[in-house]
Amino acid sequence: MAIDRRVSKSKHALKQALIILMNKKTFKNITISEIVELADLNRGPFYKHYQDKEDLLNDLIQDVLSDLTESYRAPYKNQPTFYFDHLTASAIKIFDHVAKYSNFYTIVINDDALPGFLNKIGELLKELAIKDLMKDFTDLNIDPKLMASYQSYAILGLIIEWVKGGFIYTPSYMATQLLNILTIEKPHKIK
């Protein structure tokens, strides 16, 4: 079923207004009147789609998490077998996702506007790694769940560092850095 363009535009405007307002004040202090005014809508479209501002926030969060899932899976989505050594930086889309939602990530990471959300992202990445990438993991010396956790929270750490640094690098640069980190063959000597 196709979504009406007006519905999509209204929902997008409401979500963007919420992000802008969350950048200025706490979620608790944001009113529906402020959201609809900034979105240049009246209250009717808001209540047609959402029961309250929490419902709007949950829809925004669901958008972010769905897009994050697609971005994480992009390098291996249409491949019957994923060969890690064939991975290219251009196939890594997770940093494009973060850039797309840069205002949201900035609020969440710098202001801790949604306590526990970063952990939710880490757990989602871990679940995806376990479900998609660790199913055929055969190294008997490494627990697949611990490996998935290590990889997922390492990626989240790169995202946090990038956001806290003010997005001074491009998504392409970040993807290249992740690929370089993943393909380091030998530990470096510490002097």
Side-chain angles (χ1 to χ4, degrees), residues 111-173:
D111 299 335
D112 196 26
L114 298 173
F117 187 72
L118 288 179
N119 191 48
K120 191 173 197 170
I121 290 173
E123 287 299 310
L124 173 63
L125 294 175
K126 180 180 164 187
E127 286 174 30
L128 290 170
I130 291 169
K131 181 179 176 188
D132 297 353
L133 303 175
M134 299 294 160
K135 60 185 174 211
D136 297 321
F137 191 72
T138 58
D139 189 327
L140 299 177
N141 295 318
I142 301 174
D143 183 307
K145 288 182 181 178
L146 292 175
M147 179 71 157
S149 182
Y150 172 78
Q151 290 177 340
S152 302
Y153 282 94
I155 291 170
L156 182 57
L158 286 175
I159 291 169
I160 292 169
E161 186 67 24
W162 187 37
V163 172
K164 286 188 176 222
F167 296 97
I168 60 172
Y169 305 114
T170 65
S172 174
Y173 179 84

Side-chain angles (χ1 to χ4, degrees), residues 32 48 113:
I32 292 173
K48 183 176 181 182

Side-chain angles (χ1 to χ4, degrees), residues 40-106:
D40 199 24
L41 297 168
N42 59 39
R43 292 171 87 82
F46 181 91
Y47 286 111
K48 183 176 181 182
H49 306 299
Y50 304 107
Q51 293 180 359
D52 51 31
K53 66 182 184 179
E54 287 79 8
D55 195 20
L56 171 61
L57 178 61
N58 287 333
D59 194 28
L60 172 60
I61 289 169
Q62 190 55 50
D63 286 353
V64 172
L65 294 177
S66 293
D67 194 71
L68 175 64
T69 300
E70 282 184 42
S71 300
Y72 181 87
R73 287 179 164 159
Y76 59 88
K77 183 178 180 180
N78 295 318
Q79 297 186 27
T81 304
F82 177 63
Y83 296 101
F84 181 75
D85 56 342
H86 294 139
L87 182 62
T88 63
S90 63
I92 298 171
K93 300 298 180 193
I94 198 161
F95 298 105
D96 294 317
H97 156 80
V98 175
K100 177 180 175 182
Y101 290 98
S102 61
N103 291 334
F104 180 80
Y105 277 95
T106 298

